[in-house]
Amino acid sequence: AWLSSKTVNACISDPMRLEDFRGCYCVAGIDLSRTTDLTAAVIVIEKDEKLHVFAKFYLPREKIDEAIARDGVPYNIYIQRGLLTPSGDNFIDYRDCFAWFKSLVEQYEIYPLKVGYDRYNSQYLTQDMKNYGFHMDDVFQGENLSPVIDELEGLMKDGKILIGDNDLLKMHLFDSALKMNAETGRKRLVKVSSKAHIDGMAALLDAMTVRQKWHTEIGDQLRNVR
C-alpha cells in the first residue's frame, strides 16, 4: 500500500456538511468507470488552511448485488448513507454525476473553478459540463502526476486533508499503491491488487492536479478567505 494507516486515519474527521461551505470555491475531479468499477466525483474545498474533500460514488443498479459479493463491501449501506448513488441499470448514467455538480452550484452555491477528468468514456459528461459553464481539464493518469502525488502525500501527512467520515473514500485510499519507474524515479497510481478500487483516489488526484496546475490563476479564490 502507498499510504500508512496513520496517514489515512489522520484524514478522518467528524462528518462534514456541504451547507457549511456555502459560497466557497473549489476544484473538482472525476474518475469515470468503464465497466464494473465505480465512478467517483470529488471536490476539494480549502477553508481555514485545510483541504476538505467531498466524494460521491456511482454504481449501476443491476451491478450492486454482484459488487457486494465480489468486493465484500457493504455498498447497500453506503447507499443509505448517501455516499453511493445507484445510477443507470447496467451502465452508469453520467447525467447523475452532472446533476451532483449542478446541485453544488444551485443548491449550495459552491463553485468548482476547474474540473479535472480522465479521458475515458467522458465525452457526453464533459460536453454537458462545458455547456453548463464548468471549466474542464483533461488529466492523464500516468507518471506525469508524480509532483501531484508527492504534494498530496505531504498534505495528508501534515493533517491538511480532511475526508470527514467517508468510509468508502477511505477504502479507496487504502487500496492505492504507487509503481515507481526505476530509471526516472517517477511514480504512478496503481491498485494494491486486481480486485481493489482506487476510483476515489484517482478523482482526488484529478482535482489536486488542476489545483496545482492553475494555482497562479485561481489560488487566491480557492483560499476562501473572507
Side-chain angles (χ1 to χ4, degrees):
W2 161 25
L3 301 165
S4 68
S5 297
K6 180 181 178 181
T7 299
V8 174
N9 287 329
C11 300
I12 308 301
S13 64
D14 292 333
M16 301 187 302
R17 304 184 317 145
L18 285 168
E19 289 91 343
D20 297 330
F21 296 90
R22 186 173 295 278
C24 286
Y25 296 101
C26 64
V27 288
I30 307 171
D31 187 71
L32 301 165
S33 67
R34 301 181 220 181
T35 51
T36 57
D37 281 350
L38 290 89
T39 279
V42 161
I43 58 169
V44 180
I45 305 174
E46 186 170 350
K47 192 174 183 183
D48 301 325
E49 299 185 356
K50 302 273 188 179
L51 297 179
H52 302 82
V53 180
F54 289 87
K56 188 85 168 174
F57 294 90
Y58 303 86
L59 194 61
R61 289 181 187 85
E62 299 297 326
K63 301 288 182 77
I64 292 170
D65 290 342
E66 175 190 325
I68 291 171
R70 180 191 67 226
D71 300 338
V73 174
Y75 290 119
N76 51 335
I77 293 176
Y78 295 134
I79 291 170
Q80 293 168 14
R81 290 178 54 192
L83 302 175
L84 176 65
T85 297
S87 176
D89 292 323
N90 290 292
F91 296 95
I92 286 168
D93 185 343
Y94 296 126
R95 286 174 295 190
D96 293 329
C97 186
F98 174 51
W100 185 63
F101 279 103
K102 277 180 61 180
S103 75
L104 293 175
V105 176
E106 296 173 10
Q107 186 176 345
Y108 299 104
E109 299 174 15
I110 293 172
Y111 303 98
L113 297 179
K114 298 288 181 182
V115 182
Y117 67 97
D118 66 18
R119 61 191 68 183
Y120 295 106
N121 297 331
S122 62
Q123 182 178 353
Y124 296 116
L125 174 60
T126 52
Q127 197 58 54
D128 284 347
M129 297 279 284
K130 287 176 182 176
N131 289 344
Y132 185 81
F134 290 113
H135 294 267
M136 309 298 291
D137 198 358
D138 182 356
V139 176
F140 176 70
Q141 289 271 353
E143 292 178 4
N144 55 304
L145 297 192
S146 277
V148 182
I149 288 169
D150 289 339
E151 182 187 31
L152 178 61
E153 183 176 359
L155 288 167
M156 293 175 80
K157 287 181 174 177
D158 290 343
K160 297 288 189 183
I161 302 278
L162 298 178
I163 66 169
D165 60 344
N166 193 326
D167 296 334
L168 192 49
L169 178 57
K170 177 183 175 182
M171 190 182 308
H172 286 215
L173 301 187
F174 276 128
D175 279 351
S176 299
L178 298 177
K179 186 170 184 178
M180 185 79 72
N181 185 320
E183 293 183 6
T184 64
R186 294 168 73 82
K187 61 201 80 165
R188 63 183 177 91
L189 180 68
V190 296
K191 301 177 178 182
V192 292
S193 70
S194 59
K195 293 184 178 181
H197 294 282
I198 58 172
D199 314 271
M201 174 60 91
L204 176 55
L205 281 176
D206 286 342
M208 295 300 290
T209 298
V210 294
R211 177 180 181 267
Q212 190 179 92
K213 178 179 177 180
W214 297 98
H215 207 263
T216 301
E217 289 84 354
I218 63 176
D220 287 342
Q221 289 171 280
L222 293 178
R223 276 190 282 276
N224 291 301
V225 177
R226 291 179 174 81

